[in-house]
Amino acid sequence: AQSVTQLGSHVSVSEGALVLLRCNYSSSVPPYLFWYVQYPNQGLQLLLKYTSAATLVKGINGFEAEFKKSETSFHLTKPSAHMSDAAEYFCAVSEPNAGKSTFGDGTTLTVKP
Amino acid sequence: DADVTQTPRNRITKTGKRIMLECSQTKGHDRMYWYRQDPGLGLRLIYYSFDVKDINKGEISDGYSVSRQAQAKFSLSLESAIPNQTALYFCATSAVDRSYNEQFFGPGTRLTVL
């Protein structure tokens, strides 16, 4: 069985500050991992994905995430927050060929001017 | 044009009514999914379909049914709506030739059951 835990349902940062959104996963096999972003009144869109190649994954809009097997983590970071980053972020895990993903509860990012 | 479309985008209905939410996709994907989103609960899988003849229950299928009319169409029905089915509903698709299940989402349907 697979599961995802996102630590912190709300994160608030100042514009220009580091963004760190935490995700820990559980999986019985080597997983695939994803971060999705949901802007207000929109569906989810893929931010980045880990598919067992490089452990440091770069995504859109300056975000990146590092897969750490020893810590079962896949935290999302961005060096400098922008007002347009305000959104809800979801971490998801998928087992190879399972055809399904399990999503975390989401983290709402607020960016203060 | 959007690759995954959902109709209606907003719907208000009354307890006991039957309602259908529709999803269409032009991505050519075989796999389709229905999720509901509630504040603080993330996305929960209602039903999923790997092809027209393969439909599976997700973690919260009670009170819902689905129909896969074609590769491109997947509908979700609430036979007798109840207030705790008030939520944001998303349709998603993924490609069968991708083992890692990246999903593509529609814009969502906001359903209110009074």
Side-chain angles (χ1 to χ4, degrees), chain A residues 51-100:
Chain A
T51 59
S52 73
T55 56
L56 182 62
V57 180
K58 295 186 184 298
I60 61 173
N61 301 334
F63 284 93
E64 63 181 38
E66 185 172 9
F67 172 68
K68 292 188 176 181
K69 183 179 178 180
S70 62
E71 299 177 8
T72 61
S73 69
F74 190 57
H75 301 330
L76 182 70
T77 60
K78 181 175 181 177
S80 177
H82 191 273
M83 296 297 290
S84 61
D85 295 327
E88 189 160 18
Y89 292 80
F90 292 92
C91 183
V93 62
S94 173
E95 294 181 351
N97 300 311
K100 295 189 298 176

Side-chain angles (χ1 to χ4, degrees), chain B:
Chain B
D1 288 340
D3 292 325
V4 184
T5 58
Q6 293 183 234
T7 55
R9 293 293 312 278
N10 289 282
R11 181 71 184 267
I12 299 174
T13 192
K14 294 182 178 180
T15 297
K17 294 292 188 181
R18 184 180 188 275
I19 185 167
M20 179 181 289
L21 309 183
E22 299 186 343
C23 176
S24 295
Q25 53 112 348
T26 58
K27 299 190 74 65
H29 290 168
D30 285 317
R31 296 172 175 171
M32 298 187 73
Y33 309 81
W34 276 105
Y35 294 92
R36 66 176 279 175
Q37 182 181 19
D38 299 277
L41 295 180
L43 271 72
R44 292 182 290 167
L45 183 62
I46 306 172
Y47 272 94
Y48 60 103
S49 171
F50 286 171
D51 64 39
V52 174
K53 295 183 179 180
D54 181 12
I55 294 178
N56 305 279
K57 293 182 177 180
E59 58 182 304
I60 55 162
S61 59
D62 287 350
Y64 301 95
S65 62
V66 291
S67 173
R68 185 83 183 265
Q69 300 95 324
Q71 187 208 35
K73 296 184 182 296
F74 192 37
S75 300
L76 177 72
S77 293
L78 287 67
E79 297 301 326
S80 179
I82 56 176
N84 78 0
Q85 291 177 314
T86 293
L88 188 54
Y89 290 84
F90 286 105
C91 176
T93 72
S94 70
V96 72
D97 61 348
R98 292 284 187 271
S99 67
Y100 47 78
N101 193 235
E102 173 184 347
Q103 297 193 9
F104 298 82
F105 286 81
T109 294
R110 187 168 297 280
L111 177 65
T112 302
V113 183
L114 301 176

Side-chain angles (χ1 to χ4, degrees), chain A residues 7 11 13 17-22 75-78 107 109:
Chain A
L7 301 175
V11 171
V13 301
L18 171 72
V19 175
L20 171 61
L21 304 183
R22 299 178 188 273
H75 301 330
L76 182 70
T77 60
K78 181 175 181 177
T107 297
L109 176 66

